[in-house]
Each structure stands twice: as structure tokens, then as C-alpha cells.
């Protein structure tokens, strides 16, 4: 496969009007046994990329929803090797691009080399580490290149244009555009404000080498379509986890989650 | 991981480098959103450091509002008790608001004003930094929000009442162990969400660059005064200098000006809680391993999987699973000796200083006092010891009452 193959193919084969939908879930939430099945359901319901969260005890860029999911997953004994086992199991059955997302400390304690080697062996396509912006931890970027794991970096509304170009240059796979300054979490959003569309224009003018996915605060199909109009797609995390939390005590919660995701992607028909 | 620079001893005091590293420790491991704010802060701080008007304003506030300089008090009965080296107390407990924390809060509030920030946030453990921040915000008429763990709110009620009286909003943090570390998480989340108008005043020598440097700078007045006073009162520098270490702000303020004076032996005393062999302690440098939390690489109490462990100490101000990155560097370089004392020993320390010298120390400070039992037998009668008496114990009376 070519470098960053699965992610690359996805964006190369995307139709001009098509929006890529990337979904974040916390590995092991609501319980470790269901993560693989959940990912398969998300894929068959329209997910194009899975961002698989590596839970951390102190998720300081996350709002209450992902804090809660991380805590449950950790309480249920999730750790890095469980996540790699999940990866292997998924890769036996699916070629959906998967990006690991989490904080640097558990990666560091696993051993940087060991982590990237294992990630590459189990078919991880990319990594998002919100507390490692470009330039602050060069070894991580070097290992990404060495092991063919796409480093996905974030741009925020207060990121300068010069910095956006650096982020574009450092990123592979896609650039994660954070639509609001704040922590993760679903927000009420009736329309895309003028300032957000100005910000998106600025990102498009400076991020030329990578596709752009926009996230933070998206709750519905309407939100997603409005905010991703001028970019390649969108990311949903907290809204999905909130939904899972609301149905997780029901026997058919995975199927219900699939319905929720289809609606996110295609709207209600 | 970065390889540790093999700094010659004389170079220690020139750290951090321009990227905020003390050897391999430190750095800026934060979300992208915070980088512009840290860049702005670093620029403003560097300019202020070299600006005589800023320095004058800072020092005149320390003199006229905080009540500096604080005395270096000879502890005669304590000295007599051990019958070895002479013991002195650097009286940070006599600062306005009752602890060294205000030295830093004043410096950072002046910076916030210079940067045009209108909203101040801070975290607090024991409440001393919260009270200091609320105090300077009242003095300057600025709005102030303090994040404090719910567990700490219940054990430091007096300080919570003080913050309310001073006009601050105290936001309880109910995640994790509901102590200092969780309060920092929540303050960072607030900062990420309100980065344009908000200044985050970190109270300890922790966090991303330039915070550890900035806190050290504003606290170095402790060590500088101690050097002057030692020269005046004893004609030379002390042989042994003790300070308690949670995040490490009072200790770095005391130690930093002395780093190049190799003859001065420096001791940082951590909280061993119920014992460093038990899971209930906060002795990060004694029992932890390097990792990344709250924006910098430093020693941390953590699981093998890199999840942050819950710290424990009878003293809320030391109850933190991390430590300032410069302390990690000083530990590995061997310049400072880090050790720890237990909750019970600290309570004994409170009793001892109170009864022998008429000074009721904060539970944090009491850890440094308690270490005298171990240190003093090894000292000589021609030597002298300085203890950084970082805060007073009124705030801890409820906790202390349970033991007496």
C-alpha cells in the first residue's frame, strides 16, 4: 500500500460534493467488549473515518461528555494493549481508516518506539494528540514518518495564518479544523456564524496540502452540512457519545446508534 | 524523549532554554489553541522583566502592600532543642494573606493588566494561591474566578470564605480526587474556552513554558532576601536550606538564587502522606516517574499505563501528582536533595514549631520543619540552617484540631 494509503485513497476517491464523515468514539466505552462491533456498525451506517479515543485520566482539552466516557473506559480496564488488540480484530474485518486520538502521556509511558511500531503493525492510519502541537515534540513527528502513521494536527480560530501553513506542512491525512475556541462538546448551533465562515476561508487559503475536516460542537445533520459546506467533511464526537450514553442500557443500542449515525450523515428522509 | 543536556553545574542557573526546557524537562505540551496565548505571555513577560517601570511597580507593591521584606527570624528554642546548627525561619508566613503565594499573584496580575486582560482565573489547592489571587484582584478591581477541588473546599473552608469575601467566585471541581490537579484541569479548560480575554494565573512552578520560569522569577525575592539577610545576620550564606515541595513555588523561589553557591546544601521536602511505600502519598520526585501533565514533562505519580495517580497528603497544598519541571531537573542533576516526610511527621512539625517558637506553620511548611529531625543530628554547631516558613497555619486549624 502507498504511504498513508487508506486515508489517501479515501480522499482521492471522494466525489466533489461528498462530505467525509469522521466519527470519534472512546475505545472501551460503554464497554470494552462492544467496541469492535460498534465500529463495524458505524462503518456500515456511513462513517468514513473512525477516530478511536485512547482514554486518559486527565483529558484537559475535553468537555464533560468525553471526560465521562474516558473515565468509564478506564474503570473497565482499557489500556493501550487492549486498544491494539481491538485494532487487530477490526483489521481482520474492515479497511476503514482509523486514527487514534488521545493524550501524549499514555503513549510516552508505553514507549514511543514500541507504540508506533505496534500502531503500524495493527493497521492504525493516523494519530491525533491534542497536547502535542507541531514543533513541540519533534521525536513524535519523526516516528510518525518512520512508521507511516499520519500525524493529524489541529487549527483553531485563534491560529495565525503563518501557523496554519506550518500545521499544514506537518500534517498528513487531513487537518483537523476546530470550529470554536473551547473544549470538545456538543453545542447548540442554529447557523454558521459569519466569524466561523471567515475562519474557514482563512483555513482554506492556508491549508493547501491536506483535506480539511471540521469538528467541535456538531450535533445534527443540518449542523454538519452547514459547517462543512466549504471543506472536505466533518467530525462528530461528543454528540455521538451523548447518544450512545442515552441508549446504552438498551439491548439494541448498537443498532440504534447506527440509525443515529445514518441520520447524521444523510439527514431524515 | 529528549536526551538530557549534560549541563555543567555552573550553567544550571541559566535554564530554561528558549523553548522552555530544563534539560529534558519542561516544554509546552498544550492544545494548539493555547500556543498563541503562551507566545503572547512569553513576549509580555520578557518585556516586563527588562522594564524598570514594571519592576518598580512590582517591588513597591511587595513593599507597601505585601509587607516585604519578610524577616529572617532566629529560632532560638528550636536551635536549643537540637543543640546543633543554628536555625532560622524565613518568614513568608508574615506576607499579607499569610503565605508566599502573593509574591507571584501580584507579578502575574501586573502582567495581565499590561496585556489588557480583564478576566482572571486561577486554581487553588490549600486556598492560599486562591486567596492571594482574589486579594490582588480586589486591589485592582478585576473579576476573578477560582477553581478549587470539592474535597479541598471542605478541608480549607476558611480560605473559601476569605475568597468569597474578597469578591471572587469559587467554582467547585468535582472530577477525579477533587483536589488541586483536577482544579488545574478545569482552569485549563476555562482558559481554552476564553483565551482572548482571560489570564490564567498559575500559582505553582508548574504548567507550560513560560509559567515555571515566571513563577520562579516572581518568587525569587524569597531567596534573594534570604541571601542578603544571611550575610547581614551571620556574615555568610547558610549551610542548609529547607523548603517544602508540592508544585514547588516556594522552594524554587528560595533555591534559585542559591543554585550557583555550591556550598549551600538545598533540600526539598515532599509529602509522603501515609508513606511512600503506600499508594497514598504525594512524593512525586521520590516515588514518581517522568511524564507529561499540565503542559510540561516532569516527574509524575502515575500508573504503568501513564494514567495520572491520585496524590494524597494531609496538606492540600502539597496534594499534587506532579511537580515543577525545574525541580525534576535539579533532582536528576543532584544539585538539590529531595526527600519526604509523612502526614504524622508533619503534624508533629506543626506542634513543634508552634510550641517552641510561637509560630503556627501551615501544614505544607510543617513538612520542612519535620525534616529537621533527620537533618539536625548531621549538622555542626558552627553551621546554620534556613527553613522557608512558606505560610501560616490558621487555615489548617480544622484539620490540625483532629490530631490534637
Amino acid at each position: 500500500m502507498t504511504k498513508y494509503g487508506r486515508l489517501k485513497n479515501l480522499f482521492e476517491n471522494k466525489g466533489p460534493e461528498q462530505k467525509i464523515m469522521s466519527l470519534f468514539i472512546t475505545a472501551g466505552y460503554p464497554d470494552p467488549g462492544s467496541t469492535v462491533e460498534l465500529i463495524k456498525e458505524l462503518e456500515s451506517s456511513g462513517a468514513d473515518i473512525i477516530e478511536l479515543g485512547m482514554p486518559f485520566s486527565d483529558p484537559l482539552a475535553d468537555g464533560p461528555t468525553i471526560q465521562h466516557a474516558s473515565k468509564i473506559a478506564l474503570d473497565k480496564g482499557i489500556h493501550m494493549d487492549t486498544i491494539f488488540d481491538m485494532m487487530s480484530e477490526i483489521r481482520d474485518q474492515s479497511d476503514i481508516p482509523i486514527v487514534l486520538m488521545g493524550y501524549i502521556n499514555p503513549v510516552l509511558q508505553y514507549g514511543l518506539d514500541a507504540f508506533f511500531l505496534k500502531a503500524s503493525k495493527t493497521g492504525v492510519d493516523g494519530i491525533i494528540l491534542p497536547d502535542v502541537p507541531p514543533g513541540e515534540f519533534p521525536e513524535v513527528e519523526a516516528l510518525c514518518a518512520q512508521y507511516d502513521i499520519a500525524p493529524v494536527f489541529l487549527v483553531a480560530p485563534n491560529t495565525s495564518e503563518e501557523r496554519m501553513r506550518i500545521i499544514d506542512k506537518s500534517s498528513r491525512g487531513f487537518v483537523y479544523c476546530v470550529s470554536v475556541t473551547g473544549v470538545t462538546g456538543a453545542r447548540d448551533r442554529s447557523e454558521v456564524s459569519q466569524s466561523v465562515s471567515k475562519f474557514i476561508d482563512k483555513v482554506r487559503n492556508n491549508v493547501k496540502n491536506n483535506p480539511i475536516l471540521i469538528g467541535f460542537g456538531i450535533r445534527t445533520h443540518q449542523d454538519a452540512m452547514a459547517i462543512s459546506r466549504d471543506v472536505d467533511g466533518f467530525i462528530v464526537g461528543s454528540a455521538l457519545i451523548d447518544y450512545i450514553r442515552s441508549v446504552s442500557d438498551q439491548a439494541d443500542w448498537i443498532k440504534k446508534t447506527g440509525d443515529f449515525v445514518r441520520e447524521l450523515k444523510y439527514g431524515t428522509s | 524523549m529528549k536526551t538530557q543536556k549534560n549541563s555543567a553545574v555552573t550553567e544550571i542557573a541559566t535554564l530554561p532554554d528558549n523553548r522552555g526546557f530544563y534539560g529534558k524537562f519542561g516544554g509546552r505540551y498544550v492544545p494548539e489553541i493555547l500556543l498563541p496565548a503562551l507566545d503572547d505571555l512569553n513576549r509580555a513577560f520578557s518585556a516586563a522583566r527588562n522594564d524598570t517601570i514594571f519592576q518598580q511597580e512590582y517591588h513597591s507593591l511587595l513593599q507597601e502592600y505585601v509587607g516585604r521584606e519578610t524577616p529572617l527570624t532566629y529560632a532560638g528554642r528550636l536551635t536549643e532543642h537540637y543543640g546543633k546548627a543554628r536555625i532560622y525561619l524565613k518568614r513568608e508566613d508574615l506576607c499579607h494573606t499569610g503565605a508566599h503565594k502573593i509574591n507571584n499573584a501580584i507579578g502575574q496580575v501586573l502582567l495581565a493588566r499590561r496585556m489588557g486582560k480583564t478576566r482572571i482565573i486561577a486554581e487553588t489547592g490549600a486556598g492560599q494561591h486562591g486567596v492571594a489571587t482574589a486579594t490582588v484582584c480586589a486591589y485592582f478591581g478585576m473579576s476573578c474566578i477560582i477553581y478549587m477541588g470539592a474535597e479541598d473546599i471542605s478541608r480549607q473552608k476558611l480560605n473559601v470564605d476569605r475568597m468569597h469575601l474578597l469578591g471572587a467566585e469559587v467554582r467547585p471541581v468535582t472530577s477525579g480526587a477533587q483536589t488541586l490537579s483536577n482544579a488545574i484541569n478545569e482552569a485549563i479548560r476555562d482558559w481554552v474556552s476564553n483565551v482572548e480575554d482571560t489570564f490564567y494565573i498559575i500559582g505553582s512552578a508548574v504548567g507550560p513554558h513560560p509559567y515555571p520560569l515566571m513563577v520562579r522569577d516572581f518568587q525569587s525575592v524569597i531567596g534573594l532576601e534570604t541571601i542578603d539577610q544571611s550575610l547581614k545576620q551571620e556574615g555568610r550564606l547558610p549551610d542548609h536550606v529547607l523548603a517544602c515541595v508540592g508544585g514547588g513555588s516556594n522552594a524554587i523561589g528560595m533555591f534559585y538564587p542559591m543554585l550557583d553557591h555550591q556550598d549551600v546544601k538545598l533540600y526539598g521536602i515532599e509529602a509522603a502522606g501515609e508513606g511512600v511505600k503506600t499508594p497514598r502519598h504525594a512524593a512525586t520526585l521520590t516515588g514518581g516517574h517522568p511524564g507529561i501533565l499540565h503542559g510540561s514533562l516532569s516527574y509524575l505519580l502515575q500508573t504503568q499505563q501513564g494514567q495520572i495517580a491520585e496524590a494524597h497528603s494531609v496538606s492540600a497544598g502539597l496534594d499534587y501528582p506532579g511537580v515543577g519541571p525545574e525541580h525534576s531537573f535539579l533532582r536528576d542533576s543532584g544539585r538539590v536533595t529531595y526527600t519526604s516526610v509523612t502526614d504524622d511527621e508533619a503534624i508533629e512539625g506543626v506542634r513543634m514549631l508552634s510550641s517552641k517558637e510561637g509560630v503556627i506553620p501551615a501544614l505544607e511548611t510543617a513538612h520542612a520543619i519535620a525534616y529537621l529531625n533527620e537533618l539536625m543530628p548531621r549538622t555542626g554547631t558552627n553551621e546554620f540552617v534556613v527553613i522557608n516558613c512558606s505560610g501560616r497555619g490558621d487555615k489548617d486549624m480544622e484539620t490540625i484540631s483532629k490530631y490534637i
Side-chain angles (χ1 to χ4, degrees):
Chain A
M1 209 185 302
T2 54
K3 217 153 166 53
Y4 314 116
R6 290 187 202 92
L7 281 166
K8 210 169 172 183
N9 289 343
L10 175 70
F11 287 102
E12 276 174 4
N13 297 328
K14 175 180 97 68
E17 294 305 311
Q18 188 196 340
K19 297 299 172 195
I20 295 299
M21 178 170 77
S22 182
L23 296 179
F24 173 92
I25 54 167
T26 300
Y29 179 80
D31 65 88
S34 59
T35 299
V36 171
E37 197 188 339
L38 176 61
I39 290 174
K40 285 192 295 180
E41 178 69 27
L42 299 179
E43 181 181 20
S44 68
S45 306
D48 300 298
I49 300 173
I50 300 294
E51 293 173 22
L52 188 58
M54 306 176 282
F56 180 48
S57 55
D58 291 62
L60 51 77
D62 285 301
T65 298
I66 294 175
Q67 287 176 45
H68 170 79
S70 305
K71 187 175 182 311
I72 299 287
L74 289 173
D75 288 350
K76 296 197 172 177
I78 282 286
H79 58 92
M80 216 54 96
D81 279 324
T82 345
I83 296 173
F84 287 132
D85 289 346
M86 288 172 181
M87 277 304 308
S88 304
E89 202 183 330
I90 297 159
R91 278 291 168 253
D92 288 342
Q93 309 165 53
S94 162
D95 255 335
I96 189 169
I98 299 181
V99 176
L100 295 183
M101 182 169 187
Y103 295 82
I104 183 66
N105 196 51
V107 174
L108 197 61
Q109 302 310 324
Y110 194 83
L112 285 183
D113 265 301
F115 176 86
F116 280 96
L117 177 66
K118 200 79 193 271
S120 131
K121 277 192 170 160
T122 55
V124 172
D125 299 289
I127 186 156
I128 308 173
L129 298 166
D131 53 353
V132 179
E136 301 296 331
F137 203 159
E139 290 83 344
V140 166
E141 291 173 63
L143 285 166
C144 283
Q146 185 184 334
Y147 287 102
D148 192 21
I149 306 289
V152 174
F153 291 110
L154 295 84
V155 295
N158 63 344
T159 307
S160 72
E161 295 191 61
E162 188 196 354
R163 179 76 185 163
M164 285 179 184
R165 292 192 290 275
I166 294 172
I167 290 165
D168 185 27
K169 228 171 142 181
S170 310
S171 298
R172 299 290 180 272
F174 61 93
V175 162
Y176 191 138
C177 177
V178 174
S179 66
V180 288
T181 50
V183 294
T184 57
R187 289 166 173 81
D188 282 319
R189 185 202 306 274
S190 48
E191 56 189 39
V192 178
S193 72
Q194 228 180 354
S195 66
V196 172
S197 63
K198 253 191 173 156
F199 163 57
I200 292 171
D201 285 346
K202 207 166 88 173
V203 177
R204 290 178 61 209
N205 287 332
N206 292 283
V207 175
K208 304 274 198 186
N209 301 322
N210 287 287
I212 299 164
L213 298 186
I214 190 161
F216 275 42
I218 298 172
R219 278 204 321 181
T220 64
H221 177 69
Q222 287 73 20
D223 291 346
M225 290 303 112
I227 201 162
S228 66
R229 198 189 65 190
D230 297 323
V231 297
D232 300 282
F234 60 92
I235 301 163
V236 178
S238 297
L240 174 58
I241 290 177
D242 281 339
Y243 181 80
I244 292 173
R245 189 175 179 179
S246 74
V247 294
S248 62
D249 57 347
Q250 300 172 24
D252 59 344
W253 70 271
I254 292 185
K255 192 190 149 295
K256 282 209 166 85
T257 303
D259 296 340
F260 174 81
V261 164
R262 261 187 297 280
E263 199 173 311
L264 259 182
K265 180 143 178 184
Y266 305 109
T268 26
S269 43
Chain B
M1 251 193 269
K2 292 177 73 69
T3 47
Q4 188 176 337
K5 267 193 230 153
N6 203 358
S7 312
V9 176
T10 45
E11 272 178 38
I12 284 180
T14 65
L15 294 172
D17 67 17
N18 58 9
R19 292 180 56 234
F21 283 99
Y22 306 80
K24 70 175 178 183
F25 299 106
R28 298 199 302 176
Y29 304 99
V30 296
E32 186 68 37
I33 293 173
L34 293 182
L35 284 184
L38 291 173
D39 285 336
D40 287 350
L41 181 60
N42 199 26
R43 267 190 298 273
F45 171 61
S46 302
R49 265 181 130 185
N50 300 313
D51 178 0
T52 46
I53 295 175
F54 180 90
Q55 292 301 329
Q56 270 167 18
E57 197 177 1
Y58 170 63
H59 285 286
S60 73
L61 279 167
L62 288 187
Q63 190 182 328
E64 291 155 23
Y65 190 63
V66 177
R68 301 205 75 93
E69 63 179 26
T70 60
L72 184 66
T73 305
Y74 175 59
R77 293 191 62 226
L78 203 55
T79 299
E80 206 174 290
H81 172 76
Y82 288 106
K84 292 280 191 173
R86 291 178 300 288
I87 301 168
Y88 287 84
L89 305 172
K90 177 58 176 166
R91 301 293 305 281
E92 292 302 298
D93 59 310
L94 293 179
C95 286
H96 178 40
T97 69
H100 72 289
K101 291 288 183 190
I102 196 162
N103 303 329
N104 169 58
I106 283 193
Q108 289 200 43
V109 158
L110 287 177
L111 259 186
R113 285 164 56 81
R114 208 178 148 100
M115 294 173 74
K117 305 285 183 185
T118 50
R119 182 173 174 269
I120 299 291
I121 59 170
E123 84 292 339
T124 199
Q128 286 307 114
H129 174 57
V131 166
T133 303
T135 298
V136 292
C137 284
Y139 181 83
F140 284 113
M142 296 173 86
S143 97
C144 175
I145 294 163
I146 306 292
Y147 288 92
M148 187 169 187
E151 162 72 17
D152 290 340
I153 286 180
S154 70
R155 60 177 161 171
Q156 307 278 204
K157 188 176 177 309
L158 179 67
N159 272 345
V160 175
D161 291 345
R162 289 166 84 195
M163 287 184 269
H164 284 148
L165 199 56
L166 292 159
E169 179 190 340
V170 180
R171 292 195 183 163
V173 176
T174 54
S175 55
Q178 316 193 353
T179 56
L180 178 56
S181 182
N182 315 104
I184 296 179
N185 286 343
E186 218 46 50
I188 291 176
R189 290 186 186 115
D190 180 315
W191 196 27
V192 166
S193 309
N194 301 287
V195 67
E196 296 304 325
D197 67 343
T198 297
F199 190 105
Y200 177 20
I201 301 190
I202 298 185
S204 197
V206 301
H209 179 65
Y211 278 101
L213 169 63
M214 198 157 68
V215 173
R216 180 185 84 191
D217 242 42
F218 291 134
Q219 293 294 0
S220 286
V221 64
I222 303 172
L224 292 169
E225 285 179 7
T226 302
I227 287 176
D228 283 351
Q229 292 165 324
S230 296
L231 292 175
K232 265 185 220 141
Q233 292 169 232
E234 282 277 344
R236 60 187 184 86
L237 294 181
D239 301 283
H240 308 273
V241 175
L242 278 58
C244 63
V245 177
S249 68
N250 88 82
I252 203 70
M254 176 60 103
F255 294 166
Y256 179 69
M258 303 185 185
L259 288 179
D260 280 342
H261 301 282
Q262 291 297 318
D263 294 341
V264 182
K265 295 189 186 66
L266 305 171
Y267 305 84
I269 294 97
E270 299 192 297
E274 295 173 8
V276 282
K277 299 261 186 283
T278 76
R280 286 176 60 76
H281 69 87
T284 313
L285 291 164
T286 318
H289 302 281
I292 293 174
L293 177 68
H294 298 144
S296 59
L297 178 72
S298 196
Y299 276 81
L300 287 181
L301 298 179
Q302 55 183 322
T303 67
Q304 274 190 338
Q305 279 86 36
Q307 307 299 339
I308 307 308
E310 287 180 5
H312 165 80
S313 170
V314 67
S315 132
L318 304 184
D319 200 347
Y320 179 60
V323 66
E326 190 163 11
H327 286 293
S328 291
F329 174 78
L330 293 170
R331 171 201 188 275
D332 282 7
S333 77
R335 176 65 188 91
V336 179
T337 303
Y338 293 93
T339 177
S340 60
V341 308
T342 62
D343 286 350
D344 291 345
E345 291 169 315
I347 296 286
E348 265 321 296
V350 171
R351 225 192 283 266
M352 163 109 92
L353 196 67
S354 305
S355 62
K356 295 265 184 246
E357 295 297 333
V359 174
I360 301 176
L363 279 170
E364 291 77 16
T365 309
H367 286 71
I369 310 290
Y371 184 63
L372 289 174
N373 281 338
E374 199 170 321
L375 176 75
M376 292 313 290
R378 305 199 306 258
T379 62
T381 47
N382 55 344
E383 293 187 317
F384 79 102
V385 176
V386 172
I387 303 167
N388 194 11
C389 191
S390 55
R392 69 178 185 220
D394 310 42
K395 69 181 175 65
D396 296 314
M397 283 317 297
E398 216 169 305
T399 307
I400 295 168
S401 305
K402 289 179 194 149
Y403 288 83
I404 55 180

